[in-house]
């Protein structure tokens, strides 16, 4: 089974076609989803979104919707699941928008699966471009998909979410240990003077 058999895949908006050069000519202003908003783990970093000034009002299918998967079309080909909190963001053409048949697959499972090492290696084998490796929607449609039951998909999602929480806790612990180490060493240096 291929991704194109279970999902509708298309690309986002070519921004240059709709970008206004002068702010007062803008007909609409949108929050833009960019590569900076994705971590390598497939999580959304929503600290800031760029603003996009458009010379026209844009169609709804260019915006994130709950249940969508966005996949970066350049290396490292990261996929992210869009939840309710991240709906309504403008999607540029350097992302593919993947809408999964939710009667057979859970979108979070497909997002996780697209971030696996096997899929990333498959994308690297079929990449185009020499300086900046990239792919396209047609290559994505041909990606093989591991089919399993909905209950097993749910188990994988829950394990993945637990794994991500653990990684965040470890990162915080490392940061706190670094602060502790800096404080202790400064204190030791002060005592020895």
């Amino acid at each position: 089974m291929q991704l194109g058999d279970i999902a509708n895949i298309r690309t986002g908006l070519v921004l240059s076609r709709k970008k206004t050069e002068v702010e007062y000519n803008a007909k609409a202003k949108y929050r833009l989803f960019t590569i900076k908003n994705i971590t390598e783990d497939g999580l959304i970093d929503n600290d800031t979104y760029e603003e996009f000034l458009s010379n026209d009002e844009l169609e709804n299918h260019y915006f994130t919707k709950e249940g969508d998967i966005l996949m970066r079309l350049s290396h490292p080909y990261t996929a992210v699941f869009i939840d309710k909190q991240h709906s309504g963001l403008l999607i540029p053409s350097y992302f593919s928008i993947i809408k999964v048949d939710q009667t057979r697959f859970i979108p979070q499972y497909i997002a996780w699966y697209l971030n696996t090492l096997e899929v990333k290696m498959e994308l690297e084998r079929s990449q185009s471009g020499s300086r900046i490796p990239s792919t396209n929607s047609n290559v994505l449609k041909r990606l093989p998909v591991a089919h399993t039951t909905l209950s097993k998909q749910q188990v994988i999602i829950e394990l993945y979410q637990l794994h991500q929480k653990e990684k965040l806790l470890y990162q915080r612990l490392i940061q706190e240990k670094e602060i502790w180490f800096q404080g202790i060493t400064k204190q030791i240096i002060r005592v020895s003077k």
Side-chain angles (χ1 to χ4, degrees):
M1 177 177 307
Q2 297 178 330
L3 186 59
D5 299 330
I6 61 146
N8 180 0
I9 304 169
R10 58 186 172 71
T11 56
L13 176 71
V14 177
L15 298 177
S16 60
R17 294 180 184 161
K18 296 294 182 176
K19 184 174 185 171
T20 185
E21 296 302 320
V22 184
E23 187 173 349
Y24 65 83
N25 285 341
K27 292 197 176 159
K29 188 187 305 186
Y30 302 106
R31 290 185 311 152
L32 181 65
F33 192 86
T34 66
I35 291 171
K36 292 186 285 185
N37 296 112
I38 299 179
T39 68
E40 280 194 39
D41 290 331
L43 302 174
I44 297 175
D45 178 8
N46 53 356
D47 284 344
T48 58
Y49 293 103
E50 289 182 22
E51 197 172 79
F52 180 77
L53 299 173
S54 177
N55 60 16
D56 200 1
E57 294 214 7
L58 303 175
E59 297 174 35
N60 284 338
H61 65 268
Y62 289 118
F63 295 90
T64 56
K65 292 176 185 57
E66 184 177 8
D68 286 354
I69 299 166
L70 298 188
M71 182 145 189
R72 182 177 169 173
L73 293 174
S74 60
H75 186 77
Y77 312 109
T78 309
V80 294
F81 171 74
I82 302 298
D83 57 16
K84 189 175 186 177
Q85 176 187 356
H86 300 102
S87 294
L89 300 168
L90 180 59
I91 307 164
S93 60
Y94 42 86
F95 287 105
S96 267
I97 306 158
I98 303 169
K99 295 183 179 290
V100 176
D101 175 1
Q102 294 187 28
T103 61
R104 297 163 53 197
F105 288 90
I106 302 171
Q108 294 99 316
Y109 167 77
I110 296 298
W112 165 81
Y113 181 76
L114 291 172
N115 285 323
T116 61
L117 184 59
E118 294 82 15
V119 171
K120 296 211 184 229
M121 287 172 58
E122 179 68 27
L123 287 168
E124 285 181 22
R125 277 193 291 275
S126 62
Q127 72 188 6
S128 61
S130 54
R131 265 184 23 129
I132 302 171
S134 63
T135 192
N136 60 49
S137 292
N138 289 328
V139 171
L140 294 181
K141 288 177 184 177
R142 292 190 304 269
L143 283 174
V145 175
H147 187 265
T148 188
T149 64
L150 289 172
S151 61
K152 286 182 181 177
Q153 291 176 40
Q154 187 61 44
V155 167
I156 289 171
I157 292 164
E158 289 170 8
L159 282 171
Y160 176 70
Q161 290 171 341
L162 180 61
H163 176 65
Q164 291 302 320
K165 286 179 185 175
E166 285 179 349
K167 283 173 67 172
L168 284 172
L169 288 172
Y170 282 129
Q171 289 169 359
R172 285 188 197 144
L173 180 62
I174 289 168
Q175 291 169 352
E176 288 178 19
K177 286 284 192 179
E178 186 64 32
I179 292 168
W180 174 83
F181 176 74
Q182 296 298 326
I184 290 292
T185 54
K186 283 181 183 176
Q187 197 173 28
I188 290 171
I189 290 172
R190 267 190 248 132
V191 170
S192 63
K193 282 186 180 181

